[in-house]
Amino acid sequence: MSGEDAPVQQQNAVDQKQETKPAEEPKAEPPKTESPPAAAAAEAEATTEKVPEEEAFTYRALVLTGYGGYDKVKLQVKKGKPALKAGEVLVRVKACGLNFADLMARQGLYDRLPSPPVTPGMECSGVVEAVGEEVTDRKVGDKVMVLSRFGLWQEVAVVPANHTFLIPEGMSFEEAAALPVNYITAYMMLFDFGNLRPNQSILIHAAAGGVGTAATQLCKTVKDVTVFGTASASKHETITQGGVTHPIDYRTKDYVDEVRKISPKGLDIILDPLGGSDTHKAYNLLKPMGKLITYGAANMLAGQKKNLIAVAKNWYHQFSIHTLSLIQGNKSVCGFHLGYLEGETELITEAMNSILDLYKQDKIKPRIDSTWHLEQVGDAMRKMQERNNIGKVILTTEPMPEEEKKEEPKKEDKKDDKKKDDKKKDDKKKDDAKKEEKKDDKKKEEPKKEEKKEEEKEEPKKEEK
């Protein structure tokens, strides 16, 4: 549920309450022994009991208030318990996943998110708190992970029951929130589109990110797959331990040249989340019968706010190819976007069931880079956008401890105090310098005064002569 839906659902709850009033009026009931004032008091008491239950319900939600920097995502308090429709469940959210699409959505570059104000978030984990009519396979108390187009960065969320998946025994809420988007994306690209088989080679860009980590782990489930992975040098040791055969520092080396040195014929599969000129490079790196799977345009994201030059450059270098070239090259190009598969419930459920089976066999395990409170969403987004994460960045709905909240202002106070102290020191130095200047001026003036006195003494003597 998005932030903008809350007022509507609150109004629905009020409307439902108004519709039930006629059935509660004393006129419709048989005569009772109690006096009319007593009946009116009982009705008033019943009404006051309903208000806290339906209208006093509050929950915190992150809301994208407009397109721009990290400060555009704000933590707000929503009022009114969300209403359930048939086939829906109410989930008490414990953890949420942060995805690259969320960063693009903040800049207005992701078309699957409605216009602000809106609550972002495509995946979360939590506990079922209520079930709607016609829901038979979920019950109150079930621990679930959720996949949705948006609206999950909040403490409670109403979602279709068939968009939830039961969390396996032993999986934490943080791991569960890290699973849906990244692992379904990686699984469907590798096995549905890529048809990954033993002894093949693959290039995974951003191998230390959420999808990159998931894809690397899934490649290890197939025998003798050679994985080339791009990441900054500081992450090479980690991604090598995770299953990357040949790490490449994309910041200091040309990954095309590095791949050609080891695999002159090229690669069998390339996962391309970059777009623009990198898609052209990827296509040219394919072996005959190779597959290019493009699933993003990360090159458009440059800086906190929308960079029109980066967007224009990406579109200018957009990859296009004639079908005849595909035939002659014996290559294929695929496009993947999980956001446009929301209606393909059976397809997604099948992929998720396969992923959960692999988890239960200890063949895959989500890697959590860091966990942040909802109040720290700006810092969490910054970490991901600046490519400082290894694995998944998670948001927790657990309120930030008061001590941590107090610590931040203290740090700021210290900085302010330091600035004040520095200013005082500078002012003191300036005052001291001025005093020294005055002393020097006085010293310079004293000889002049003495000279004047001498001259004054000499002048009368001259006159006497």
Side-chain angles (χ1 to χ4, degrees):
M1 186 198 74
S2 69
E4 61 186 353
D5 294 335
V8 178
Q9 292 179 341
Q10 185 179 358
Q11 185 62 45
N12 289 340
V14 174
D15 293 342
Q16 287 173 5
K17 185 176 69 176
Q18 290 173 347
E19 289 173 5
T20 58
K21 275 186 179 179
E24 296 172 4
E25 289 177 3
K27 292 178 182 178
E29 297 177 1
K32 293 183 180 179
T33 55
E34 63 181 353
S35 61
E43 185 182 355
E45 189 179 345
T47 306
T48 54
E49 284 176 2
K50 274 192 173 184
V51 171
E53 184 183 350
E54 295 179 1
E55 295 178 5
F57 186 94
T58 62
Y59 58 97
R60 298 181 307 150
L62 288 171
V63 178
L64 177 65
T65 57
Y67 300 129
Y70 305 124
D71 60 335
K72 292 297 182 181
V73 182
K74 302 183 185 297
L75 186 59
Q76 299 180 0
V77 176
K78 301 291 182 182
K79 294 181 179 180
K81 192 169 186 177
L84 281 176
K85 296 178 184 176
E88 293 182 333
V89 295
L90 176 69
V91 177
R92 174 66 62 174
V93 178
K94 300 294 185 181
C96 314
L98 178 61
N99 292 285
F100 210 81
D102 296 315
L103 304 181
M104 300 189 74
R106 196 194 70 241
Q107 295 189 4
L109 297 172
Y110 185 73
D111 60 356
R112 299 303 288 159
L113 186 75
S115 300
V118 61
T119 293
M122 295 176 281
E123 61 188 344
C124 74
S125 62
V127 180
V128 175
E129 209 166 72
V131 296
E133 295 178 3
E134 301 176 13
V135 176
T136 57
D137 56 348
R138 295 289 179 269
K139 64 183 185 301
V140 173
D142 281 347
K143 294 180 180 179
V144 295
M145 59 188 82
V146 183
L147 180 66
S148 185
R149 188 156 65 92
F150 63 94
L152 300 182
W153 284 2
Q154 51 191 4
E155 290 181 323
V156 293
V158 172
V159 296
N162 59 9
H163 285 202
T164 67
F165 309 92
L166 292 173
I167 297 176
E169 193 70 31
M171 180 183 283
S172 68
F173 284 119
E174 289 77 15
E175 288 177 333
L179 202 76
V181 171
N182 292 159
Y183 280 82
I184 291 175
T185 296
Y187 185 92
M188 296 184 81
M189 288 194 298
L190 289 175
F191 299 112
D192 292 328
F193 270 149
N195 191 25
L196 181 64
R197 300 190 302 279
N199 301 309
Q200 289 192 322
S201 57
I202 180 172
L203 171 61
I204 300 173
H205 285 290
V211 174
T213 302
T216 303
Q217 291 181 7
L218 290 169
C219 284
K220 286 177 66 179
T221 66
V222 180
K223 189 178 179 182
D224 296 330
V225 172
T226 302
V227 179
F228 293 81
T230 63
S232 56
S234 61
K235 302 175 183 178
H236 283 189
E237 184 179 352
T238 304
I239 64 174
T240 301
Q241 291 172 354
V244 171
T245 319
H246 302 292
I248 302 170
D249 184 1
Y250 67 96
R251 294 181 178 179
T252 59
K253 296 179 180 178
D254 185 333
Y255 64 85
V256 174
D257 292 340
E258 295 302 308
V259 169
R260 289 288 185 194
K261 288 176 186 176
I262 299 166
S263 182
K265 289 185 178 181
L267 303 170
D268 296 295
I269 301 171
I270 297 176
L271 306 183
D272 170 38
L274 305 176
S277 59
D278 286 287
T279 308
H280 291 268
K281 293 178 181 179
Y283 183 79
N284 293 329
L285 260 179
L286 290 176
K287 288 180 181 178
M289 300 303 292
K291 303 173 187 71
L292 166 60
I293 305 165
T294 179
Y295 67 102
N299 285 336
M300 286 200 295
L301 198 68
Q304 273 199 59
K305 300 178 181 179
K306 185 191 290 186
N307 186 321
L308 294 176
I309 295 174
V311 173
K313 187 177 178 182
N314 193 79
W315 279 106
Y316 179 77
H317 291 291
Q318 189 174 9
F319 178 77
S320 63
I321 191 168
H322 196 279
T323 52
L324 187 60
S325 298
L326 288 174
I327 294 170
Q328 294 171 345
N330 286 296
K331 298 176 181 180
S332 65
V333 178
C334 310
F336 183 85
H337 195 307
L338 185 58
Y340 284 93
L341 283 177
E342 61 180 333
E344 302 296 329
T345 308
E346 291 181 9
L347 194 62
I348 290 173
T349 301
E350 186 181 346
M352 179 58 88
N353 288 338
S354 299
I355 291 165
L356 293 176
D357 286 341
L358 291 171
Y359 176 84
K360 291 170 186 175
Q361 297 169 32
D362 293 327
K363 292 185 176 179
I364 62 169
K365 183 177 176 64
R367 180 187 176 94
I368 308 301
D369 172 85
S370 53
T371 302
W372 306 78
H373 295 281
L374 295 181
E375 294 91 334
Q376 301 170 308
V377 64
D379 294 327
M381 289 190 293
R382 181 182 289 105
K383 178 160 192 176
M384 189 173 186
Q385 187 162 329
E386 292 177 357
R387 313 296 202 278
N388 290 327
N389 61 301
I390 301 178
K392 190 74 171 182
V393 177
I394 295 292
L395 298 173
T396 176
T397 58
E398 183 182 341
M400 183 184 286
E402 289 298 324
E403 299 160 359
E404 290 184 31
K405 288 181 183 177
K406 287 175 184 176
E407 278 177 11
E408 291 181 1
K410 278 181 183 176
K411 288 177 183 176
E412 291 174 5
D413 291 342
K414 284 180 182 177
K415 287 180 182 177
D416 292 337
D417 292 340
K418 192 178 179 184
K419 287 178 182 177
K420 288 176 183 177
D421 291 339
D422 291 341
K423 192 177 180 183
K424 284 179 182 178
K425 288 177 182 177
D426 290 338
D427 292 340
K428 194 177 180 183
K429 285 179 182 178
K430 287 177 183 177
D431 291 338
D432 292 340
K434 285 179 181 178
K435 286 177 183 177
E436 289 296 325
E437 285 177 9
K438 285 179 181 179
K439 285 180 182 179
D440 292 338
D441 292 340
K442 283 181 181 178
K443 287 178 182 178
K444 289 177 182 177
E445 286 174 2
E446 283 176 3
K448 289 180 181 179
K449 286 180 182 178
E450 292 295 326
E451 287 176 8
K452 281 183 181 179
K453 284 180 182 179
E454 291 294 328
E455 287 175 2
E456 287 173 358
K457 286 178 182 178
E458 288 176 4
E459 282 178 3
K461 290 179 181 179
K462 288 177 182 179
E463 288 176 1
E464 285 174 7
K465 289 179 181 180

